[in-house]
Amino acid sequence: MSTHLDGNMLGGALGELFTVDITAATGRCAFCGTVSAIAQTHVYTDAPGVVARCPGCSGVMLRLARGPGRAWLDLSGITCLQLALPNGP
Amino acid sequence: MAGTAVLGRLTWRVSTVTSVRDETATARTIALNVPGWPGHRAGQHVDVRLTAADGYSAERSYSIASAPGGDEIELTVQRLADGEVSPYLAQVLAAGDLLELRGPIGGWFVWEPAPAPVLLIAGGSGVVPLMAMIRTRVAAGTGAPFRLVYSVRGPDDALYAAELAERQGADNGLHVAYVYTRSTPPGWPEPPRRIGAAALTTAGWTPDRSPAVFVCGPTGFVETAANLLVSAGHDPRMIKTERFGPSGGQS
């Protein structure tokens, strides 16, 4: 398996899609239930898109592919995201 | 609270290089003016995009080295011999040039000024975002004691060596310890070695102080350091890590 990076590097690409920072959100892995910050996922970039895997079980939590004028985001490996809302009550 | 809330989606901005300065034989700091920069937090990064005349473009992430301050930010770029982006940034780019970037990026690998002790562990150019924390520390005025354990190949590879030495004397509460992996300064008391439990125990905070820990470096370094910290009894929830590497990362 190739060397992985981590979910910190997803901030720019996800920031194109969302107005809150998703890398600081925690996500529950759909395969093993581990809850981790998206920044802590293990990210592999040697694919047409980027693949973020659970640091606990290596299950695929997130896939993101970007094309001209289009993005594909697969979050089927995350059952719940918890986000801090900076200006919320 | 400047920069703590990014209220819109990230978009690309055009910045202007105001100056460049060499940090080592292979690393350079690039000072940029970014009109409308919303501010940033220590530890955040930017994505830089280079576009060729034929439309081919390449993006890389680079940590912000400077403390927040107006429209100015500084990046420090380590040139990789086989890199696609870093040789241009570290050798060709000059004052007056334009550079496309987006940011600030990242809300997790961030030091929020607080009084708790902070342990910083850097491998090579992984020191860059940690330097932003060190530079932010004094302005923040929290009095948080900082310890930096900085692993470098040899003395000539250390980024910010002069500033760190000066700050260690002038910034009350900053302690810096080096780990040399290939060559040591003359008279260094031990042979070159990789980071180990002993270095983290003697130069870092012990777990009973509950330090906030930030580890940044190449993937292998980060995994090793994080495992050592957990073995030493540090709470994994207190350890924040950022890995970089040649593929899509900081090359």
Side-chain angles (χ1 to χ4, degrees), chain A residues 69-89:
Chain A
R70 199 170 298 261
W72 292 263
L73 178 61
D74 172 7
L75 295 172
S76 59
I78 301 175
T79 53
C80 184
L81 273 176
Q82 179 177 304
L83 305 112
L85 299 177
N87 300 316

Side-chain angles (χ1 to χ4, degrees), chain B residues 23-24 27 76 78 119-131 134 147-165 175-181 183 188 190 193-195 199-200 203-204 214 216-218 221 225 244:
Chain B
E23 298 284 356
T24 67
T76 301
Q78 176 72 46
L119 173 56
L120 308 174
I121 300 173
S125 57
V127 75
V128 176
L130 310 184
M131 194 65 187
I134 289 169
R147 290 188 177 178
L148 168 66
V149 181
Y150 185 8
S151 171
V152 287
R153 289 181 179 178
D156 294 341
D157 299 302
L159 297 173
Y160 319 123
E163 184 181 338
L164 285 171
H175 182 265
V176 182
Y178 288 92
V179 174
Y180 296 100
T181 62
S183 64
W188 194 251
E190 50 181 30
R193 63 177 61 186
R194 294 198 172 276
I195 197 163
L200 295 181
F214 295 89
C216 186
F221 175 87
F244 62 78

Side-chain angles (χ1 to χ4, degrees), chain B residues 76-152:
Chain B
T76 301
V77 177
Q78 176 72 46
R79 173 164 55 86
L80 302 184
D82 56 351
E84 189 177 46
V85 172
S86 64
Y88 175 80
L89 297 180
Q91 290 179 297
V92 181
L93 199 68
D97 287 348
L98 303 180
L99 189 65
E100 203 176 17
L101 59 79
R102 67 181 175 196
I105 297 170
W108 189 74
F109 193 81
V110 163
W111 178 60
E112 302 289 2
V118 175
L119 173 56
L120 308 174
I121 300 173
S125 57
V127 75
V128 176
L130 310 184
M131 194 65 187
M133 299 177 190
I134 289 169
R135 287 168 166 164
T136 301
R137 172 180 174 273
V138 171
T142 65
F146 270 39
R147 290 188 177 178
L148 168 66
V149 181
Y150 185 8
S151 171
V152 287

Side-chain angles (χ1 to χ4, degrees), chain A residues 3-6 8-21 23-24 37 39-42 45-46 86-87, chain B residues 4-10 12 45 47 61 102 105-109 219 223 236 239 241-245 247-249:
Chain A
T3 306
H4 59 268
L5 300 171
D6 62 40
N8 291 296
M9 68 160 294
L10 298 175
L14 290 171
E16 268 191 302
L17 312 179
F18 300 103
T19 56
V20 293
D21 174 49
T23 66
Q40 293 177 288
T41 59
H42 294 177
T45 58
D46 49 356
N87 300 316
Chain B
T4 53
V6 177
L7 296 174
R9 284 191 291 272
L10 274 179
W12 293 96
H45 66 272
D47 287 348
S61 299
R102 67 181 175 196
I105 297 170
W108 189 74
F109 193 81
T219 299
E223 309 270 325
I239 303 171
T241 54
E242 183 166 79
R243 301 162 176 82
F244 62 78
S247 58

